[in-house]
Amino acid sequence: GFSAGIDVGDYVYSGFCATSLTRYLLSYGYDSLDYVLDETDQTLSFFRRIRNIASLERQMIVRNLVLNLAGRMTDKKSLSSESIDEMEHLEKMKSINYGTGMALYYYFKMYLLFMRGMYSEALDISYDAVSNIAYIADSIQEADCIFYSSLCMTKLYKNVAPEKRSDFDTALEKNMAMMKTWQENCPENFNTRCYILEAEMSRLKGD
């Protein structure tokens, strides 16, 4: 799709394909991080050529996420590099009212922190991710946002005060209902996520 759009001069379509591909590759996890990095790098020059700065920066954030997950960055919880500062990127997304850019930044940051085992920090960011989730509705990142924010809660559940557990219970039941809906409509994509979350919730109940 990305190459076909370029061939016919439809840069809007190519841009959508370019930003979507790397996100979906990360989400499904079938390919190596090196492959995802190569695919991401191929899109950077394209966005520079068409001067789509917002999409270029989003891809640079994705690139740093992949590099961090691959163990090639010193700061294990950073999405910044010499090429881009993550907080400046976030502020820019806010200044141009780019909801998708904000939502994806929060999601990528939560995802990184969760993968690094920094569950408390990941949970804090998850509130921003979920509050902006409407901007990524109907994408796999919407489901992933719900999935990982839920896992943050299950990881921290036994270490929080009883009143906080009640809040977690309410959120987890709501999130589980959404997962069930997605699973029923597309089991191939959502069985695994649904089973993992279901198992985690059963563990917390002592089942």
Side-chain angles (χ1 to χ4, degrees):
F2 172 59
S3 298
I6 292 176
D7 289 342
V8 300
D10 190 343
Y11 293 160
V12 173
Y13 179 75
S14 288
F16 177 79
C17 291
T19 56
S20 297
L21 176 61
T22 49
R23 285 157 47 194
Y24 281 79
L25 288 173
L26 276 173
S27 180
Y28 290 125
Y30 299 144
D31 299 287
S32 69
L33 290 174
D34 283 335
Y35 178 79
V36 180
L37 185 62
D38 286 342
E39 291 293 323
T40 304
D41 283 344
Q42 289 181 43
T43 67
L44 295 178
S45 60
F46 167 72
F47 285 122
R48 288 190 182 99
R49 287 200 308 273
I50 67 172
R51 299 182 182 179
N52 186 333
I53 303 304
S55 292
L56 172 63
E57 288 197 2
R58 277 169 53 194
Q59 292 301 87
M60 293 169 73
I61 291 292
V62 171
R63 188 178 196 278
N64 288 346
L65 171 62
V66 175
L67 288 172
N68 204 318
L69 293 172
R72 301 180 194 174
M73 293 181 70
T74 303
D75 188 338
K76 301 304 181 184
K77 61 181 181 179
S78 176
L79 292 175
S80 295
S81 64
E82 291 182 0
S83 302
I84 187 169
D85 180 277
E86 62 180 296
M87 296 314 300
E88 289 181 4
H89 166 72
L90 178 59
E91 289 307 313
K92 184 179 293 183
M93 297 300 101
K94 290 179 179 179
S95 70
I96 62 175
N97 295 315
Y98 190 16
T100 302
M102 291 186 290
L104 287 174
Y105 167 78
Y106 289 129
Y107 164 70
F108 290 139
K109 188 69 172 184
M110 173 185 65
Y111 177 75
L112 174 62
L113 292 170
F114 180 87
M115 289 300 178
R116 289 299 185 190
M118 303 173 183
Y119 304 124
S120 182
E121 291 177 72
L123 180 65
D124 289 341
I125 292 291
S126 79
Y127 296 127
D128 291 315
V130 172
S131 69
N132 286 278
I133 204 168
Y135 295 113
I136 52 173
D138 302 322
S139 73
I140 192 64
Q141 278 68 49
E142 177 188 17
D144 282 350
C145 187
I146 295 298
F147 178 63
Y148 286 106
S149 66
S150 298
L151 291 185
C152 288
M153 287 183 272
T154 64
K155 289 292 186 182
L156 297 169
Y157 190 89
K158 294 187 176 180
N159 297 322
V160 299
E163 59 271 18
K164 191 66 174 178
R165 290 185 186 180
S166 179
D167 293 338
F168 281 8
D169 287 336
T170 300
L172 287 168
E173 290 296 335
K174 177 183 176 181
N175 291 352
M176 188 73 246
M178 285 189 281
M179 278 290 169
K180 286 287 189 182
T181 298
W182 289 323
Q183 180 195 33
E184 290 167 4
N185 285 277
C186 190
E188 295 84 359
N189 284 350
F190 296 104
N191 270 345
T192 302
R193 291 171 176 80
C194 195
Y195 294 152
I196 290 173
L197 184 53
E198 200 167 37
E200 280 292 279
M201 292 174 67
S202 293
R203 177 180 62 82
L204 296 179
K205 296 175 182 176
D207 296 340

Short mmCIF file of all heavy atoms in Angstrom, two decimals, residues 98-145:
data_model
loop_
_atom_site.label_atom_id
_atom_site.label_comp_id
_atom_site.label_asym_id
_atom_site.label_seq_id
_atom_site.Cartn_x
_atom_site.Cartn_y
_atom_site.Cartn_z
N TYR A 98 -3.25 17.89 17.72
CA TYR A 98 -3.16 16.64 16.99
C TYR A 98 -3.43 15.49 17.97
O TYR A 98 -2.52 14.95 18.58
CB TYR A 98 -1.79 16.51 16.34
CG TYR A 98 -1.65 15.37 15.37
CD1 TYR A 98 -2.74 14.72 14.84
CD2 TYR A 98 -0.38 14.95 14.95
CE1 TYR A 98 -2.60 13.69 13.93
CE2 TYR A 98 -0.23 13.92 14.04
CZ TYR A 98 -1.34 13.29 13.53
OH TYR A 98 -1.20 12.26 12.65
N GLY A 99 -4.71 15.15 18.10
CA GLY A 99 -5.11 14.15 19.08
C GLY A 99 -4.49 12.79 18.87
O GLY A 99 -4.09 12.12 19.83
N THR A 100 -4.40 12.36 17.60
CA THR A 100 -3.80 11.06 17.32
C THR A 100 -2.34 11.03 17.77
O THR A 100 -1.88 10.04 18.35
CB THR A 100 -3.89 10.74 15.82
OG1 THR A 100 -5.26 10.76 15.42
CG2 THR A 100 -3.30 9.37 15.53
N GLY A 101 -1.63 12.10 17.51
CA GLY A 101 -0.23 12.17 17.93
C GLY A 101 -0.08 12.10 19.43
O GLY A 101 0.82 11.42 19.95
N MET A 102 -0.96 12.79 20.16
CA MET A 102 -0.91 12.74 21.62
C MET A 102 -1.23 11.34 22.12
O MET A 102 -0.52 10.78 22.97
CB MET A 102 -1.88 13.75 22.22
CG MET A 102 -1.49 15.20 22.03
SD MET A 102 -2.60 16.34 22.90
CE MET A 102 -4.11 16.19 21.94
N ALA A 103 -2.31 10.76 21.60
CA ALA A 103 -2.75 9.44 22.06
C ALA A 103 -1.68 8.38 21.82
O ALA A 103 -1.41 7.54 22.69
CB ALA A 103 -4.05 9.05 21.37
N LEU A 104 -1.06 8.43 20.64
CA LEU A 104 -0.04 7.43 20.32
C LEU A 104 1.22 7.62 21.17
O LEU A 104 1.85 6.65 21.58
CB LEU A 104 0.29 7.47 18.84
CG LEU A 104 -0.79 6.89 17.93
CD1 LEU A 104 -0.43 7.12 16.47
CD2 LEU A 104 -0.99 5.40 18.19
N TYR A 105 1.57 8.87 21.43
CA TYR A 105 2.73 9.09 22.31
C TYR A 105 2.48 8.46 23.68
O TYR A 105 3.32 7.73 24.19
CB TYR A 105 3.06 10.57 22.50
CG TYR A 105 4.03 10.76 23.63
CD1 TYR A 105 5.38 10.49 23.44
CD2 TYR A 105 3.59 11.11 24.91
CE1 TYR A 105 6.28 10.57 24.50
CE2 TYR A 105 4.48 11.20 25.96
CZ TYR A 105 5.82 10.93 25.76
OH TYR A 105 6.69 10.99 26.81
N TYR A 106 1.33 8.74 24.27
CA TYR A 106 1.02 8.19 25.59
C TYR A 106 0.99 6.66 25.56
O TYR A 106 1.47 6.00 26.48
CB TYR A 106 -0.32 8.73 26.10
CG TYR A 106 -0.31 10.18 26.48
CD1 TYR A 106 -1.27 11.07 25.98
CD2 TYR A 106 0.64 10.70 27.36
CE1 TYR A 106 -1.27 12.41 26.33
CE2 TYR A 106 0.65 12.04 27.72
CZ TYR A 106 -0.32 12.88 27.20
OH TYR A 106 -0.32 14.21 27.55
N TYR A 107 0.42 6.12 24.48
CA TYR A 107 0.37 4.66 24.38
C TYR A 107 1.78 4.07 24.28
O TYR A 107 2.12 3.11 24.98
CB TYR A 107 -0.46 4.22 23.16
CG TYR A 107 -0.20 2.78 22.81
CD1 TYR A 107 -0.65 1.76 23.66
CD2 TYR A 107 0.53 2.44 21.68
CE1 TYR A 107 -0.37 0.43 23.37
CE2 TYR A 107 0.81 1.12 21.40
CZ TYR A 107 0.36 0.12 22.24
OH TYR A 107 0.65 -1.20 21.96
N PHE A 108 2.62 4.63 23.39
CA PHE A 108 3.97 4.10 23.22
C PHE A 108 4.76 4.19 24.52
O PHE A 108 5.53 3.29 24.86
CB PHE A 108 4.70 4.85 22.11
CG PHE A 108 4.18 4.57 20.73
CD1 PHE A 108 4.06 5.59 19.80
CD2 PHE A 108 3.80 3.29 20.35
CE1 PHE A 108 3.57 5.35 18.53
CE2 PHE A 108 3.32 3.02 19.07
CZ PHE A 108 3.20 4.06 18.15
N LYS A 109 4.59 5.30 25.24
CA LYS A 109 5.31 5.47 26.51
C LYS A 109 4.83 4.45 27.54
O LYS A 109 5.64 3.83 28.23
CB LYS A 109 5.09 6.90 27.03
CG LYS A 109 5.94 7.25 28.25
CD LYS A 109 7.41 7.36 27.89
CE LYS A 109 8.23 7.89 29.07
NZ LYS A 109 9.64 8.09 28.71
N MET A 110 3.54 4.26 27.64
CA MET A 110 3.00 3.26 28.56
C MET A 110 3.52 1.87 28.20
O MET A 110 3.94 1.10 29.07
CB MET A 110 1.47 3.26 28.51
CG MET A 110 0.82 2.14 29.30
SD MET A 110 -0.98 2.05 29.13
CE MET A 110 -1.15 1.65 27.39
N TYR A 111 3.49 1.55 26.92
CA TYR A 111 3.95 0.25 26.44
C TYR A 111 5.41 0.01 26.80
O TYR A 111 5.77 -1.07 27.30
CB TYR A 111 3.75 0.20 24.92
CG TYR A 111 4.22 -1.04 24.24
CD1 TYR A 111 3.50 -2.23 24.34
CD2 TYR A 111 5.37 -1.04 23.46
CE1 TYR A 111 3.93 -3.38 23.69
CE2 TYR A 111 5.80 -2.18 22.81
CZ TYR A 111 5.08 -3.35 22.92
OH TYR A 111 5.50 -4.48 22.28
N LEU A 112 6.26 1.01 26.58
CA LEU A 112 7.67 0.88 26.90
C LEU A 112 7.88 0.65 28.39
O LEU A 112 8.61 -0.25 28.81
CB LEU A 112 8.43 2.13 26.45
CG LEU A 112 9.91 2.18 26.85
CD1 LEU A 112 10.69 1.03 26.24
CD2 LEU A 112 10.53 3.52 26.44
N LEU A 113 7.22 1.48 29.20
CA LEU A 113 7.38 1.36 30.65
C LEU A 113 6.89 0.00 31.15
O LEU A 113 7.50 -0.61 32.03
CB LEU A 113 6.64 2.50 31.35
CG LEU A 113 7.23 3.91 31.14
CD1 LEU A 113 6.28 4.96 31.67
CD2 LEU A 113 8.59 4.03 31.79
N PHE A 114 5.78 -0.46 30.59
CA PHE A 114 5.27 -1.78 30.99
C PHE A 114 6.28 -2.87 30.63
O PHE A 114 6.58 -3.74 31.45
CB PHE A 114 3.94 -2.07 30.32
CG PHE A 114 3.38 -3.42 30.70
CD1 PHE A 114 2.61 -3.57 31.85
CD2 PHE A 114 3.65 -4.54 29.92
CE1 PHE A 114 2.12 -4.82 32.22
CE2 PHE A 114 3.17 -5.79 30.28
CZ PHE A 114 2.40 -5.93 31.42
N MET A 115 6.80 -2.82 29.42
CA MET A 115 7.76 -3.84 28.99
C MET A 115 9.03 -3.81 29.82
O MET A 115 9.70 -4.83 29.98
CB MET A 115 8.09 -3.63 27.50
CG MET A 115 6.96 -3.99 26.57
SD MET A 115 6.48 -5.73 26.73
CE MET A 115 5.12 -5.82 25.58
N ARG A 116 9.34 -2.64 30.37
CA ARG A 116 10.52 -2.52 31.23
C ARG A 116 10.21 -2.89 32.67
O ARG A 116 11.10 -2.84 33.53
CB ARG A 116 11.05 -1.08 31.17
CG ARG A 116 11.71 -0.70 29.85
CD ARG A 116 12.89 -1.57 29.57
NE ARG A 116 13.62 -1.16 28.37
CZ ARG A 116 14.58 -1.89 27.83
NH1 ARG A 116 14.91 -3.05 28.38
NH2 ARG A 116 15.21 -1.49 26.75
N GLY A 117 8.98 -3.27 32.97
CA GLY A 117 8.62 -3.67 34.32
C GLY A 117 8.41 -2.50 35.26
O GLY A 117 8.33 -2.69 36.48
N MET A 118 8.25 -1.30 34.72
CA MET A 118 8.02 -0.10 35.52
C MET A 118 6.51 0.13 35.60
O MET A 118 5.97 1.08 35.02
CB MET A 118 8.75 1.09 34.91
CG MET A 118 10.24 0.87 34.76
SD MET A 118 11.07 2.21 33.85
CE MET A 118 12.75 1.59 33.78
N TYR A 119 5.83 -0.74 36.31
CA TYR A 119 4.37 -0.79 36.24
C TYR A 119 3.68 0.43 36.83
O TYR A 119 2.66 0.87 36.32
CB TYR A 119 3.87 -2.07 36.93
CG TYR A 119 4.48 -3.31 36.36
CD1 TYR A 119 5.17 -4.22 37.17
CD2 TYR A 119 4.40 -3.60 34.99
CE1 TYR A 119 5.74 -5.37 36.64
CE2 TYR A 119 4.97 -4.74 34.46
CZ TYR A 119 5.64 -5.62 35.29
OH TYR A 119 6.21 -6.74 34.76
N SER A 120 4.24 0.99 37.90
CA SER A 120 3.63 2.17 38.51
C SER A 120 3.70 3.37 37.58
O SER A 120 2.70 4.09 37.39
CB SER A 120 4.33 2.50 39.83
OG SER A 120 3.71 3.60 40.46
N GLU A 121 4.86 3.57 36.95
CA GLU A 121 5.00 4.67 36.01
C GLU A 121 4.14 4.43 34.76
O GLU A 121 3.55 5.37 34.22
CB GLU A 121 6.47 4.82 35.61
CG GLU A 121 7.36 5.32 36.74
CD GLU A 121 8.82 5.39 36.32
OE1 GLU A 121 9.17 6.29 35.53
OE2 GLU A 121 9.60 4.55 36.78
N ALA A 122 4.07 3.18 34.35
CA ALA A 122 3.23 2.84 33.19
C ALA A 122 1.77 3.12 33.49
O ALA A 122 1.04 3.63 32.63
CB ALA A 122 3.42 1.38 32.81
N LEU A 123 1.34 2.81 34.70
CA LEU A 123 -0.05 3.08 35.09
C LEU A 123 -0.35 4.57 35.07
O LEU A 123 -1.41 4.99 34.58
CB LEU A 123 -0.35 2.50 36.47
CG LEU A 123 -1.78 2.72 36.98
CD1 LEU A 123 -2.78 1.96 36.10
CD2 LEU A 123 -1.91 2.29 38.44
N ASP A 124 0.58 5.37 35.58
CA ASP A 124 0.38 6.82 35.57
C ASP A 124 0.17 7.35 34.15
O ASP A 124 -0.73 8.15 33.89
CB ASP A 124 1.58 7.52 36.21
CG ASP A 124 1.66 7.31 37.72
OD1 ASP A 124 0.62 6.95 38.32
OD2 ASP A 124 2.75 7.50 38.29
N ILE A 125 0.98 6.89 33.22
CA ILE A 125 0.85 7.31 31.82
C ILE A 125 -0.41 6.74 31.19
O ILE A 125 -1.03 7.36 30.31
CB ILE A 125 2.09 6.87 31.01
CG1 ILE A 125 3.33 7.64 31.47
CG2 ILE A 125 1.88 7.08 29.52
CD1 ILE A 125 3.31 9.11 31.11
N SER A 126 -0.83 5.57 31.66
CA SER A 126 -2.01 4.93 31.07
C SER A 126 -3.27 5.79 31.23
O SER A 126 -4.16 5.73 30.38
CB SER A 126 -2.25 3.55 31.70
OG SER A 126 -2.87 3.63 32.98
N TYR A 127 -3.34 6.57 32.29
CA TYR A 127 -4.50 7.44 32.47
C TYR A 127 -4.58 8.49 31.34
O TYR A 127 -5.67 8.79 30.84
CB TYR A 127 -4.46 8.12 33.83
CG TYR A 127 -4.54 7.15 34.99
CD1 TYR A 127 -3.60 7.17 36.01
CD2 TYR A 127 -5.57 6.21 35.06
CE1 TYR A 127 -3.66 6.28 37.07
CE2 TYR A 127 -5.64 5.31 36.12
CZ TYR A 127 -4.68 5.35 37.13
OH TYR A 127 -4.76 4.47 38.17
N ASP A 128 -3.40 9.01 30.95
CA ASP A 128 -3.38 9.95 29.82
C ASP A 128 -3.71 9.23 28.52
O ASP A 128 -4.42 9.77 27.66
CB ASP A 128 -2.00 10.60 29.70
CG ASP A 128 -1.69 11.55 30.85
OD1 ASP A 128 -2.58 12.35 31.19
OD2 ASP A 128 -0.59 11.50 31.39
N ALA A 129 -3.20 8.01 28.38
CA ALA A 129 -3.47 7.24 27.16
C ALA A 129 -4.96 6.96 27.01
O ALA A 129 -5.55 7.16 25.95
CB ALA A 129 -2.68 5.93 27.19
N VAL A 130 -5.58 6.50 28.09
CA VAL A 130 -7.00 6.16 28.04
C VAL A 130 -7.86 7.39 27.85
O VAL A 130 -8.87 7.36 27.13
CB VAL A 130 -7.41 5.38 29.31
CG1 VAL A 130 -8.92 5.19 29.37
CG2 VAL A 130 -6.70 4.03 29.35
N SER A 131 -7.48 8.51 28.45
CA SER A 131 -8.28 9.73 28.31
C SER A 131 -8.25 10.28 26.88
O SER A 131 -9.12 11.05 26.49
CB SER A 131 -7.80 10.80 29.30
OG SER A 131 -6.52 11.28 28.95
N ASN A 132 -7.23 9.86 26.11
CA ASN A 132 -7.13 10.30 24.71
C ASN A 132 -7.46 9.18 23.73
O ASN A 132 -7.20 9.31 22.53
CB ASN A 132 -5.72 10.82 24.43
CG ASN A 132 -5.45 12.18 25.04
OD1 ASN A 132 -5.81 13.21 24.48
ND2 ASN A 132 -4.83 12.19 26.21
N ILE A 133 -8.06 8.12 24.22
CA ILE A 133 -8.23 6.92 23.40
C ILE A 133 -9.19 7.13 22.23
O ILE A 133 -9.11 6.42 21.21
CB ILE A 133 -8.70 5.74 24.28
CG1 ILE A 133 -8.34 4.41 23.62
CG2 ILE A 133 -10.19 5.82 24.57
CD1 ILE A 133 -8.51 3.21 24.54
N ALA A 134 -10.06 8.11 22.33
CA ALA A 134 -11.00 8.37 21.22
C ALA A 134 -10.28 8.70 19.93
O ALA A 134 -10.79 8.45 18.83
CB ALA A 134 -11.95 9.51 21.59
N TYR A 135 -9.07 9.26 20.05
CA TYR A 135 -8.31 9.64 18.85
C TYR A 135 -7.73 8.44 18.11
O TYR A 135 -7.30 8.58 16.95
CB TYR A 135 -7.18 10.60 19.22
CG TYR A 135 -7.66 11.92 19.75
CD1 TYR A 135 -7.44 12.29 21.08
CD2 TYR A 135 -8.33 12.82 18.93
CE1 TYR A 135 -7.88 13.52 21.58
CE2 TYR A 135 -8.77 14.05 19.41
CZ TYR A 135 -8.54 14.39 20.74
OH TYR A 135 -8.97 15.59 21.22
N ILE A 136 -7.68 7.28 18.79
CA ILE A 136 -7.18 6.08 18.12
C ILE A 136 -8.25 4.98 18.13
O ILE A 136 -7.94 3.79 18.06
CB ILE A 136 -5.87 5.57 18.78
CG1 ILE A 136 -6.03 5.41 20.30
CG2 ILE A 136 -4.72 6.51 18.45
CD1 ILE A 136 -4.82 4.76 20.96
N ALA A 137 -9.50 5.41 18.21
CA ALA A 137 -10.62 4.45 18.20
C ALA A 137 -10.61 3.64 16.92
O ALA A 137 -10.23 4.12 15.85
CB ALA A 137 -11.94 5.19 18.35
N ASP A 138 -11.02 2.38 17.05
CA ASP A 138 -11.13 1.46 15.92
C ASP A 138 -9.79 1.06 15.31
O ASP A 138 -9.74 0.54 14.20
CB ASP A 138 -12.03 2.04 14.82
CG ASP A 138 -13.43 2.37 15.34
OD1 ASP A 138 -13.95 1.60 16.16
OD2 ASP A 138 -13.99 3.40 14.93
N SER A 139 -8.71 1.31 16.03
CA SER A 139 -7.41 0.81 15.61
C SER A 139 -6.96 -0.23 16.62
O SER A 139 -7.50 -0.31 17.73
CB SER A 139 -6.37 1.94 15.54
OG SER A 139 -6.01 2.36 16.85
N ILE A 140 -5.96 -1.03 16.26
CA ILE A 140 -5.47 -2.05 17.19
C ILE A 140 -4.87 -1.40 18.43
O ILE A 140 -4.86 -1.99 19.51
CB ILE A 140 -4.45 -2.98 16.50
CG1 ILE A 140 -4.16 -4.22 17.36
CG2 ILE A 140 -3.16 -2.23 16.20
CD1 ILE A 140 -5.35 -5.12 17.58
N GLN A 141 -4.39 -0.16 18.29
CA GLN A 141 -3.82 0.52 19.46
C GLN A 141 -4.89 0.85 20.50
O GLN A 141 -4.57 0.96 21.69
CB GLN A 141 -3.08 1.79 19.03
CG GLN A 141 -1.67 1.53 18.54
CD GLN A 141 -1.64 0.79 17.23
OE1 GLN A 141 -2.35 1.18 16.29
NE2 GLN A 141 -0.83 -0.25 17.12
N GLU A 142 -6.13 1.01 20.09
CA GLU A 142 -7.18 1.21 21.08
C GLU A 142 -7.27 -0.02 21.98
O GLU A 142 -7.29 0.10 23.21
CB GLU A 142 -8.53 1.44 20.41
CG GLU A 142 -9.68 1.57 21.40
CD GLU A 142 -11.05 1.60 20.75
OE1 GLU A 142 -11.17 1.20 19.58
OE2 GLU A 142 -12.02 2.03 21.43
N ALA A 143 -7.31 -1.20 21.37
CA ALA A 143 -7.39 -2.44 22.15
C ALA A 143 -6.12 -2.65 22.97
O ALA A 143 -6.18 -3.08 24.14
CB ALA A 143 -7.62 -3.63 21.22
N ASP A 144 -4.96 -2.36 22.38
CA ASP A 144 -3.71 -2.52 23.11
C ASP A 144 -3.62 -1.58 24.30
O ASP A 144 -3.07 -1.92 25.35
CB ASP A 144 -2.52 -2.29 22.18
CG ASP A 144 -2.24 -3.48 21.28
OD1 ASP A 144 -2.84 -4.55 21.52
OD2 ASP A 144 -1.44 -3.34 20.35
N CYS A 145 -4.15 -0.39 24.13
CA CYS A 145 -4.16 0.58 25.22
C CYS A 145 -4.97 0.04 26.39
O CYS A 145 -4.53 0.11 27.55
CB CYS A 145 -4.74 1.90 24.71
SG CYS A 145 -4.63 3.26 25.89
#
